[in-house]
Amino acid sequence: MAPTTRSQDAADAAAPAGSIKSAERVLQILDLVAGHTDGLDASGIRTALKLPRSSLHGLLRVLSDRGYLFMEPDSRVYRVGLRAWEVGQAYAHNRNITVLIGPEMRALRDELNETVQLAVLDGLDNVYLAKEESDHPLRLVSGVGLRLPAHTTALGKVLLAGLPAGELRRRLIGVTLQRFTKSTVGDKAELLRRLAAVRTSGFAEDDGEYTVGLYCVAVPVRSESGAVVAAVSCSIPSARAGGAGDRAQRYLPALRACAGRLAPLMAPLS
């Protein structure tokens, strides 16, 4: 480690005491919430840490806006957010989640002999938690820890379709849906129609919407309450997947069986 320079020492000494105190409180909040798997509401956090109500609400708002905490809309309970998990990957390299779900993902890959992926939703992006490559030469742009716009992928559409209608519309306010190929959905009304169809059918498809020549089909992974907590997919070159129609049916039984086995393993993230 390089020695600290005098200018750095001076800058550290000049840092406002309030900034240091706020940083300490942020870490205290994260440590506290991380230790309560069932989450804590604002009152419980305030009582445990003996923090002023006004400053606590400001810190909780910043942590939630940045994705380090997630507040359940109904119970108003805070849990550790996806961004905190992403930061943890810099140290853990996804070891724990891989240990839990890796065998199931590899078994699905072996059964289908195609590339399979698992993702969760963060805002309007799907974030990849696991990926198992097939033996085929095709390689995808996705990877563990990376994110893609949810409206462009089968995984993402399953995850978006799992949101409450009001929350989905709220997330889309002021957003322009970027087009990556001629097949990408760039119209919000059309996206909402497609998501309604996903809710009805229980699966989503993507045919060249982010990567030309690639077909993907995905299904939801649900918690005990029925909430969509993740999505699992299979990706196939469009030429090998066959024509439109019932091609998804070739992959859905294996995907749905895997999603059922993954559900209890995903409980800590639900």
Side-chain angles (χ1 to χ4, degrees):
M1 181 181 294
T4 302
T5 65
R6 290 185 179 180
S7 60
Q8 289 173 324
D9 287 336
D12 291 342
S19 299
I20 296 173
K21 182 179 292 186
S22 294
E24 290 175 343
R25 288 173 173 176
V26 162
L27 295 176
Q28 289 174 340
I29 292 169
L30 287 173
D31 284 343
L32 178 67
V33 175
H36 289 74
T37 56
D38 293 330
L40 283 171
D41 61 13
S43 177
I45 296 172
R46 186 173 66 250
T47 300
L49 298 180
K50 298 179 174 57
L51 297 177
R53 184 191 301 267
S54 58
S55 60
L56 174 62
H57 282 288
L59 294 173
L60 290 176
R61 184 175 62 253
V62 170
L63 285 167
S64 298
D65 289 344
R66 296 291 298 272
Y68 287 89
L69 291 180
F70 170 75
M71 186 186 71
E72 295 183 351
D74 295 333
S75 64
R76 311 286 292 181
V77 163
Y78 289 89
R79 301 178 189 272
V80 172
L82 182 60
R83 180 58 182 150
W85 178 86
E86 289 182 300
V87 170
Q89 301 321 291
Y91 174 77
H93 297 293
N94 207 27
R95 182 178 185 277
N96 291 336
I97 198 72
T98 300
V99 168
L100 288 172
I101 67 179
E104 295 296 346
M105 295 297 291
R106 287 189 288 275
L108 178 63
R109 184 268 319 275
D110 293 344
E111 180 178 358
L112 296 175
N113 194 24
E114 301 291 355
T115 297
V116 297
Q117 301 170 103
L118 181 77
V120 294
L121 188 67
D122 184 27
L124 289 173
D125 293 335
N126 51 264
V127 180
Y128 293 89
L129 300 186
K131 177 184 180 183
E132 295 293 336
E133 297 272 10
S134 72
D135 293 333
H136 300 298
L138 176 71
R139 290 294 180 264
L140 309 185
V141 296
S142 60
V144 174
L146 298 181
R147 56 178 66 215
L148 290 178
H151 71 284
T152 69
T153 69
L155 283 166
K157 283 182 277 190
V158 164
L159 295 167
L160 291 174
L163 290 173
E167 174 62 15
L168 174 60
R169 292 183 181 276
R170 185 190 70 78
R171 295 192 189 191
L172 289 172
I173 293 174
V175 172
T176 299
L177 300 178
Q178 184 177 356
R179 293 182 183 270
F180 294 87
T181 74
K182 66 179 183 180
S183 300
T184 306
V185 178
D187 177 71
K188 292 181 188 177
E190 175 62 21
L191 176 64
L192 292 174
R193 284 193 291 271
R194 295 196 186 189
L195 296 181
V198 171
R199 295 187 197 98
T200 300
S201 67
F203 69 92
E205 297 174 280
D206 152 27
D207 194 356
E209 294 176 38
Y210 188 85
T211 301
V212 174
L214 186 69
Y215 169 76
C216 300
V217 56
V219 301
V221 178
R222 297 182 181 274
S223 67
E224 289 186 359
S225 67
V228 175
V229 295
V232 60
S233 74
C234 176
S235 300
I236 314 103
S238 298
R240 192 166 66 243
D246 295 333
R247 60 182 169 181
Q249 301 305 320
R250 297 168 51 189
Y251 310 99
L252 287 174
L255 284 168
R256 285 171 170 156
C258 181
R261 296 190 298 269
L262 288 171
L265 304 180
M266 299 297 295
L269 293 180
S270 64

